[in-house]
Amino acid sequence: MLKIVIAGGFGAGKTTAVGAVSEITPLSTEEYLTEASADVDSLAGIEAKQTTTVAFDFGRLSLPDAPVPLELFLFGTPGQDRFVDLWYDLSLGAVGAVVLVDTRRLESSFTPVNFFEDVGLPFIVALNQFDGAHRHHPEQVRTALELPASVPVVTCDARDPNHVAGVLLALVGHAMNNAFTNRAGHAPTTLQDA
């Protein structure tokens, strides 16, 4: 069993990704956006968005046919910066994280990238390919987000269960490689060791 965090900016598709791949009815804490949040939750580029996650999303995915059978517990974070304190709790015990990126609102991706770099949790970046949005090459996004070459950058459609499962497997592989590197002589300093 592995715990995985799915993070990203406001409206990046985290709830959609958890729902697309979960084999159980996902637990969702979606609430309607209100006038009270209008000044802090910019809807520029996502004008049709009506709800937002206020605590976390939870889903489960079993992969019995993977090279090593896996059961993944998925925790989707709220996307707004004001919820960063909650990200610490959601990240405890996690093997790694997916930072889901909406390239139409790339600036909202810096906070989650910086968060996982700061806490030392292995992560990958997944570019959510929204309908009608310009498709950026992963290396262009790597440069824009100032990501080291060691952080995988992949593309996906958060609505497609196969895409999301592929992203999760890429993360597990990355986290395992990171763990082996740490065992080879570098002391890990991640939240899962706290």
Side-chain angles (χ1 to χ4, degrees):
M1 293 184 289
L2 300 174
K3 179 181 181 181
I4 292 177
V5 176
I6 300 178
F10 178 54
K14 301 172 297 294
T15 299
T16 300
V18 171
V21 76
S22 182
E23 64 197 18
I24 62 170
T25 302
L27 169 67
S28 179
T29 59
E30 289 279 296
E31 293 294 335
Y32 283 99
L33 293 167
T34 65
E35 290 296 319
S37 70
D39 291 338
V40 292
D41 293 334
S42 171
L43 294 176
I46 54 171
E47 290 80 6
K49 186 167 180 58
Q50 297 180 357
T51 61
T52 187
T53 300
V54 296
F56 63 90
D57 299 311
F58 173 77
R60 185 183 72 213
L61 175 63
S62 297
L63 299 168
D65 298 327
V68 175
L70 298 171
E71 188 171 12
L72 306 178
F73 294 104
L74 311 173
F75 289 82
T77 69
Q80 298 92 326
D81 290 356
R82 66 181 177 275
F83 291 112
V84 167
D85 287 343
L86 179 59
W87 298 1
Y88 286 99
D89 294 332
L90 293 175
S91 297
L92 285 172
V95 69
V98 173
V99 175
L100 201 57
V101 171
D102 177 354
T103 58
R104 301 169 302 175
R105 299 163 49 95
L106 191 61
E107 67 282 353
S108 69
S109 302
F110 285 99
T111 298
V113 165
N114 290 337
F115 175 83
F116 293 114
E117 286 178 339
D118 290 346
V119 300
L121 192 64
F123 70 97
I124 68 170
V125 169
L127 311 180
N128 192 4
Q129 299 184 321
F130 287 89
D131 291 337
H134 179 75
R135 301 288 194 251
H136 296 276
H137 190 277
E139 290 307 311
Q140 292 174 308
V141 175
R142 176 187 306 285
T143 300
L145 292 175
E146 300 177 353
L147 296 170
S150 60
V151 175
V153 180
V154 299
T155 60
C156 74
D157 181 336
R159 301 167 297 187
D160 185 318
N162 292 324
H163 282 213
V164 177
V167 168
L168 296 173
L169 286 174
L171 170 64
V172 169
H174 175 62
M176 288 175 64
N177 287 338
N178 195 48
F180 291 134
T181 300
N182 286 335
R183 269 196 216 149
H186 304 293
T189 55
T190 63
L191 279 175
Q192 67 259 29
D193 300 314

